[in-house]
Amino acid sequence: MPDYLYPILGAVLGLVIGSFLATIVSRWPEGKSVVSGRSRCDSCNEPLGALDLVPILSYLARIGKCAYCGSAIKTDYLVIELGAGLIGGIALFVAPGMAGLLGAIFGWILLTLAALDAQHHWLPDRLTLTLAVVGIASTVFVEEPDITDRLIGGGAGFLTLFLVGWSYHKLRGREGLGGGDPKLLGAIGCWLGWPVLPLVILGAAMAGLLAVFMTRIRGHAVTADSALPFGGFMAIAAFPIWIIQTMRGGSLL
């Protein structure tokens, strides 16, 4: 297959998968099944037909409103679908073939975790563990980073943020990091290897500062007690690092 077709297929696949990811983000925190039961309007609970579930196009055709009750459809679904499509297209543009597909999977799981953390301050262990396991298993198809760097990255990533969170709690007497953040950085290390973990933390910190700035611009106060989705910021930082790392043959250093 010509290389130029890979990003197109990746984008289309991403849009389809993005629809499922949006369902996960919507249903899972409420304890609902993400694989069974028909999709319904969030406002009127009317079951949605096949034409209502076409990624992007159904939203545009309905002008962002439910066809049954006229209520506005959450833009979260649109953002996740577009994000997943973009991830799939970019990943398979950077690395046509299995390496790109694995990178897309990395990005799709990160997107889901980022959305869950942003909306619910929740990083499910099952999803984080899946990210870590697939990262280690991907060494069967991708040579760099090697298995040693990834395993060290998994351990170092977890221990680094675990110690930071533990130290903060001892010094301040309150939680400074969510319990899922160290696990997520460890899972990211299983993909990117240990040498780039400082860049992930730096990128997350910069994303966090931007989020604080935008929050204040909108007139909302940000205090020491404000909960920020640091795990989501790490997820946002990790995928661009994977892109650069892949384009440079598996290493940033």
Side-chain angles (χ1 to χ4, degrees), residues 102-103 105-106 131-132 134-135 138 145 150 187-193 245:
L102 289 168
I105 292 172
F106 178 52
L131 183 67
V134 177
S138 68
R150 292 178 189 239
I188 290 171
C190 291
W191 280 87
L192 303 180
Q245 188 180 59

Side-chain angles (χ1 to χ4, degrees), residues 85-105:
L86 188 62
I87 287 169
I90 292 175
L92 286 164
F93 173 78
V94 170
M98 181 56 72
L101 179 59
L102 289 168
I105 292 172

Side-chain angles (χ1 to χ4, degrees), residues 47-246:
L48 302 179
L51 294 179
D52 299 311
L53 299 175
V54 179
I56 307 300
L57 295 180
S58 60
Y59 184 92
L60 296 176
R62 304 296 191 191
I63 320 178
K65 296 181 180 180
C66 172
Y68 306 99
C69 68
S71 298
I73 301 172
K74 291 182 180 179
T75 56
D76 299 352
Y77 298 102
L78 181 66
V79 171
I80 292 174
E81 289 174 357
L82 285 171
L86 188 62
I87 287 169
I90 292 175
L92 286 164
F93 173 78
V94 170
M98 181 56 72
L101 179 59
L102 289 168
I105 292 172
F106 178 52
W108 291 330
I109 298 177
L110 289 174
L111 174 64
T112 308
L113 287 165
L116 286 169
D117 200 24
Q119 295 183 23
H120 306 283
H121 295 287
W122 182 43
L123 296 170
D125 286 347
R126 280 185 286 175
L127 197 55
T128 305
L129 178 61
T130 299
L131 183 67
V133 170
V134 177
I136 296 299
S138 68
T139 56
V140 175
F141 304 99
V142 181
E143 294 182 359
E144 296 291 340
D146 61 32
I147 185 68
T148 301
D149 281 354
R150 292 178 189 239
L151 289 174
I152 294 174
F158 173 79
L159 285 175
T160 298
L161 285 193
F162 175 81
L163 291 174
V164 169
W166 180 84
S167 300
Y168 185 91
H169 185 268
K170 287 293 183 182
L171 290 171
R172 302 297 297 273
R174 63 187 182 191
E175 297 295 333
L177 282 175
D181 293 338
K183 300 170 189 175
L184 177 55
L185 186 60
I188 290 171
C190 291
W191 280 87
L192 303 180
W194 67 268
V196 302
L197 289 180
L199 294 179
V200 175
I201 295 176
L202 176 61
M206 294 176 64
L209 288 174
L210 179 61
V212 169
F213 176 74
M214 295 303 296
T215 299
R216 287 181 171 175
I217 286 293
R218 291 195 294 267
H220 301 292
V222 179
T223 68
D225 296 326
S226 298
L228 296 174
F230 189 69
F233 298 147
M234 288 193 295
I236 292 171
F239 186 68
I241 291 174
W242 173 86
I243 293 171
I244 299 171
Q245 188 180 59
T246 302

